[in-house]
Amino acid sequence: MPATLTPARVTTAAHATTPTAARRLTSLDVTRGIVMVLMAIDHVRVYSGLPAGGPTAGIFLTRWVTHFCAPAFVFFAGTSAFLSARTRTTADLSRHLVVRGAWLVLLELTVIRLAWTFNVDYAHYVLAGVIWMLGVCMMLLAGLVWLPTAGIAAFGLIAIFAQNIVGAIAQATPESLGASVGWIWQILYFGGVFTLGSNGPRVAVLYSIVPWIGVMAAGYAFGAIMVREQAERRRLCLQIGLSATALFLLIGGLSVALASPPAGAPPAWIRLLNQQKYPASQLFLLMTLGPTIALLPFAERARGVAGDALAVFGRVPLFYYLLHIPAIHAAAVLVSVVREGRANAWLFANHPMMPGPVPNGYTWSLPLLYVVFVVVVSLLYFPCRWFAGVKARHPAGRVRYL
């Protein structure tokens, strides 16, 4: 036995040859495909001019349903790293995570930023979005994988549930250091916009690192469940997922019931579901990851055209992501040309965080948003199916980084 292969990894490698492994991977692909399709709804909303939640129940739910995407994306990235460890040494896995993480950061700061904005004003606006956060968390996970799986699980849960300690430490930082190190706390926890240097670009941190590194670490440890026998795996997924959901409903419900809502506050059900995403609170992660994990046993049974299509998207998540933003953006430009006779200049501003006020008369209707969403996702199926075939034929080639 090589010195860098732990007994746990040898055990999981044995499971890779069982028939249940293929079904397990399908369940992950289908679930990941579902959240990726949902993700496109919110990214169409970015260019529709509709606000992120409210004032109507329809607009609120349009935004809310997409909250499941980032937690599932990050959690299953960790799970995929664990499954990858079945055929890698620890050193090889760690090196792979560093390279892939750096590649994701580079893509976010260049290609994805261009796709969001359709402008090349890199000197004044840089976006640190979900792909940037995924890349940084992967590079951090590269160090964590040297720990036992139980240690990684403990780290992940502490980072999630004790995340407020980071905010408390930041607030205790002396004011004399605030100007020089404040940007570090924004990257780690608070997010927001800061200027890089005295005359550098504005960096918009949409996703901070804490608690998302905790989510990825927890997802890595969750991989130890996904390699178990089918019946036990399904039972544990339901237990974990439903317990997390019940805990959210209990704590969130009590907080809503015991708090006195201000005048004009939305209904109680909206206040319950409207949890803090930036940074992602404990209740937000319980609300989203609980149902996602509970969905896995049902996704395992997915069949037919819909199940196959979702699995295709789930097998090529980064490729889908890199395509769907410019496709949605281009569709928004086309809609603008049809509706206004020109491409509205607002569509070439610094989306998604700093685009400026929505022009008068621009905002789409909710049905138009969903029509564009369905058309774009339907068209993306064909290149994604082609690329899934390419990856299957060349699993060790450079295409694995997409």
Side-chain angles (χ1 to χ4, degrees):
M1 181 189 302
T4 50
L5 277 176
T6 65
R9 290 204 174 96
V10 172
T11 300
T12 53
H15 281 283
T17 62
T18 65
T20 57
R23 288 193 291 270
R24 170 186 52 76
L25 291 174
T26 298
S27 70
L28 290 175
D29 286 339
V30 170
T31 304
R32 191 160 41 206
I34 291 172
V35 298
M36 288 166 56
V37 167
L38 291 176
M39 173 178 62
I41 298 175
D42 191 54
H43 294 165
V44 174
R45 182 204 56 77
V46 167
Y47 298 105
S48 73
L50 291 170
T56 67
I59 296 175
F60 173 82
L61 290 173
T62 293
R63 168 65 169 168
W64 179 81
V65 75
T66 66
H67 283 335
F68 291 84
C69 303
F73 217 42
V74 178
F75 189 80
F76 290 138
T79 304
S80 296
F82 181 94
L83 298 177
S84 178
R86 296 176 302 168
T87 56
R88 296 175 184 269
T89 64
T90 303
D92 184 39
L93 174 63
S94 181
R95 183 167 51 250
H96 171 75
L97 289 170
V98 169
V99 173
R100 184 164 179 80
W103 171 236
L104 292 180
V105 171
L106 178 63
L107 286 175
E108 179 77 82
L109 299 179
T110 56
V111 176
I112 296 172
R113 183 235 177 261
L114 177 62
W116 276 117
T117 64
F118 281 3
N119 71 58
V120 291
D121 189 17
Y122 288 87
H124 295 92
Y125 174 72
V126 176
L127 175 67
V130 67
I131 301 300
W132 172 88
M133 175 269 290
L134 273 168
V136 174
C137 287
M138 281 186 181
M139 289 188 281
L140 294 174
L141 185 63
L144 292 174
V145 296
W146 294 90
L147 300 175
T149 302
I152 299 174
F155 172 87
L157 294 176
I158 291 171
I160 291 171
F161 290 104
Q163 59 174 283
N164 304 82
I165 294 175
V166 178
I169 294 173
Q171 292 171 350
T173 302
E175 292 185 10
S176 58
L177 296 176
S180 58
V181 302
W183 62 274
I184 297 177
W185 296 118
Q186 286 182 267
I187 289 176
L188 283 179
Y189 189 64
F190 294 111
V193 180
F194 66 90
T195 301
L196 194 62
S198 56
N199 298 306
R202 290 176 296 173
V203 179
V205 181
L206 184 57
Y207 287 87
S208 56
I209 302 306
V210 178
W212 294 109
I213 180 57
V215 174
M216 185 175 287
Y220 182 93
F222 182 75
I225 291 174
M226 296 306 294
V227 297
R228 300 192 181 192
E229 292 299 324
Q230 185 181 77
E232 185 182 13
R233 182 172 69 246
R234 289 178 174 177
R235 176 178 60 81
L236 289 172
C237 285
L238 286 174
Q239 286 180 349
I240 295 170
L242 295 179
S243 296
T245 304
L247 187 60
F248 159 71
L249 291 173
L250 176 62
I251 299 175
L254 283 174
S255 66
V256 170
L258 296 177
S260 298
W269 68 270
I270 289 184
R271 299 201 306 275
L272 172 64
L273 298 180
N274 190 27
Q275 298 299 327
Q276 176 182 293
K277 183 179 180 181
Y278 305 108
S281 69
Q282 295 89 339
L283 284 177
F284 176 88
L285 293 172
L286 288 172
M287 176 183 73
T288 53
L289 286 175
T292 301
I293 293 170
L295 175 65
L296 284 170
F298 303 97
E300 200 165 277
R301 301 185 178 97
R303 299 293 184 273
V305 175
D308 291 344
L310 291 171
V312 165
F313 289 136
R315 286 196 291 269
V316 291
L318 181 57
F319 184 77
Y320 171 94
Y321 192 94
L322 291 173
L323 286 184
H324 92 288
I325 294 175
I328 289 171
H329 199 169
V333 172
L334 179 60
V335 169
S336 177
V337 170
V338 172
R339 294 176 72 212
E340 305 175 70
R342 63 184 177 90
N344 197 298
W346 180 75
L347 291 170
F348 301 89
N350 291 332
H351 295 275
M353 280 192 70
M354 300 168 61
V358 181
N360 292 332
Y362 173 86
T363 305
W364 298 5
S365 66
L366 205 53
L368 177 57
L369 184 158
Y370 279 98
V371 167
V372 173
F373 154 71
V374 170
V375 170
V376 170
V377 171
S378 298
L379 292 175
L380 287 177
Y381 169 75
F382 300 100
C384 287
R385 183 180 64 179
W386 165 78
F387 190 70
V390 172
K391 285 189 72 175
R393 293 190 296 272
H394 306 281
R398 294 182 180 178
V399 294
R400 72 185 185 276
Y401 290 106
L402 290 177

